[in-house]
Amino acid sequence: MSKPDVLAVAKLHPFYLQALSSLYTVHDRTHITDPAAFTDLAPRIMGVAGTGEASVPRSLLSQLPNAKVVSVFGVGYDGVDVAAAIEHGIPVTHTPDVLTDDVADLAMGLVLSVGRTIPQADQFVRAGQWPSGPMALGRKVSGARMGIVGLGRIGKAIAQRASGFGMSIAYTARSEKANSGFQFYPSAAELAANLDFLVVITPGGAGTKHLINADVLKALGPRGYLINVARGSVVDEEALIAALQNGTIAGAGLDVFAHEPNVPQALWTLSNVVLTPHMASATTETRQAMADLAFANMQAGISGQPLRTPVPECAALVQ
Ligand code: NAP
Ligand code: 8YV
């Protein structure tokens, strides 16, 4: 008997692809590479496998009459048209919680990297510059003020870590969190005006597009640092580059970008930024846990079992 067909809408992590391939025939982006063949294939597709950044538009979902689930390998699912998926009766799942620690760890790593100029120091030593004199001084992290944009699962884990560094914590989110113990500001600009490190960890998508704009960066000020581990779309990248170039802010640590994997050359050349390639959840342990959960969701969806972790918008669809 042939295996059920699954469509991969992005290049899948090997752990996820390997698990899927044990039960399903995985068609790697056939809708893009061979649209003619996809016309025949589409009615056989039982599940859609994606990543946090992958695009699953209405136009694709409407071609999949027998799809039972969209299983995203990632907690963010801003590339999926969830409203269209619900209309087509296709629940969407994601991988919350299993990556929270890693993303919070990387956020703190970027805070320490930009504040204490660790990558620059490494380059300084490797370039043989140490005998010629000391490096410029860094910015103390312990005891500094951190502001978090998005106090969800990962935002709270970042706050927990920052508290261990004796940092004071404030935040903004769509709503104030009762009993968080942290100061709430109703907007990113008001938050930014009152701290040293602004860490962004919201979902991407239309609701947060350019939430961090020129006004917020101005409020952050020449001694403030921006850390973005959310999505590139949340920050106005042009405004950020200008702010970094003209000293409106002190520096930035960036894991995500507007047009990945392409990073503007202007950022490569700036000495006050630390750049990482969207790797906040990229440890062996966490990628395995994400693959296990995404695979479990795919299996459950295709076999009609309860989904492990549907996205909140699909809760009603799976009851
Ligand atoms: P979560 O628990 O759903 O938390 C999201 C937080 O963002 C919530 O506090 C929410 O506020 C807030 N938020 C949403 N829209 C907002 C807006 N317009 N203005 C201000 N705050 C807003 O999600 P999570 O598990 O922490 O993950 C957060 C995001 O991190 C993901 O969606 C993904 O984009 C990103 N991420 C990136 C990586 C990476 O590799 N760099 C890895 C994993 C995740 P309320 O609580 O008030 O609703
Ligand atoms: C992954 C992510 O890097 O979970 C998310 O939202 O952005 C990351 O964990 C991504 O989903 C894998 O491509």
Side-chain angles (χ1 to χ4, degrees), residues 51-53 73-77 95 99 103 230-231 278 281 287 290:
T51 60
E53 313 89 317
F73 175 90
V75 67
Y77 50 95
T95 61
L99 45 63
V103 182
R231 283 286 182 270
H278 198 148
S281 67
R287 287 287 162 89
M290 291 165 67

Side-chain angles (χ1 to χ4, degrees), residues 8 38 62 117-118 146 167 186 205 223 227-228 235 264 266 286 294 299:
F38 187 64
S62 64
T117 60
I118 297 170
M146 175 182 282
M167 300 178 88
R223 291 182 52 76
I227 309 298
N228 187 10
V235 174
T286 292
Q299 268 186 293

Side-chain angles (χ1 to χ4, degrees), residues 75 103 151-154 173-175 177 201-203 207 229 255 278 280:
V75 67
V103 182
L151 198 69
R153 288 173 288 253
I154 302 172
R174 287 177 297 194
S175 63
K177 313 296 162 207
I201 186 65
T202 63
V229 284
D255 185 50
H278 198 148

Side-chain angles (χ1 to χ4, degrees), residues 106-282:
L106 190 86
M108 286 309 295
L110 287 172
V111 167
L112 289 163
S113 294
V114 294
R116 301 300 308 274
T117 60
I118 297 170
Q120 294 89 335
D122 178 82
Q123 289 302 316
F124 181 83
V125 174
R126 287 173 198 265
Q129 288 176 269
W130 192 3
S132 311
M135 274 185 66
L137 298 177
R139 203 267 175 235
K140 185 170 180 178
V141 169
S142 285
R145 300 168 300 170
M146 175 182 282
I148 302 176
V149 183
L151 198 69
R153 288 173 288 253
I154 302 172
K156 285 183 199 141
I158 295 169
Q160 190 187 35
R161 284 155 177 73
S163 300
F165 280 79
M167 300 178 88
S168 65
I169 316 287
Y171 71 100
T172 189
R174 287 177 297 194
S175 63
E176 186 167 1
K177 313 296 162 207
N179 308 320
S180 77
F182 307 132
Q183 183 165 4
F184 173 72
Y185 288 93
S187 74
E190 287 164 275
L191 176 68
N194 289 285
L195 45 83
D196 306 303
F197 293 92
L198 181 66
V199 181
V200 186
I201 186 65
T202 63
T208 54
K209 187 167 168 63
H210 292 186
L211 187 63
I212 308 302
N213 56 25
D215 290 340
V216 175
L217 296 169
K218 192 169 171 214
L220 185 56
R223 291 182 52 76
Y225 295 85
L226 177 77
I227 309 298
N228 187 10
V229 284
R231 283 286 182 270
S233 61
V234 186
V235 174
D236 180 343
E237 205 166 68
E238 276 185 31
L240 173 62
I241 290 168
L244 288 163
Q245 285 171 334
N246 61 28
T248 301
I249 66 170
L254 307 170
D255 185 50
V256 287
F257 304 88
H259 305 289
E260 295 172 6
N262 301 309
V263 175
Q265 291 226 2
L267 286 174
W268 304 5
T269 55
L270 285 166
S271 59
N272 55 347
V273 295
V274 176
L275 308 171
T276 52
H278 198 148
M279 56 170 246
S281 67

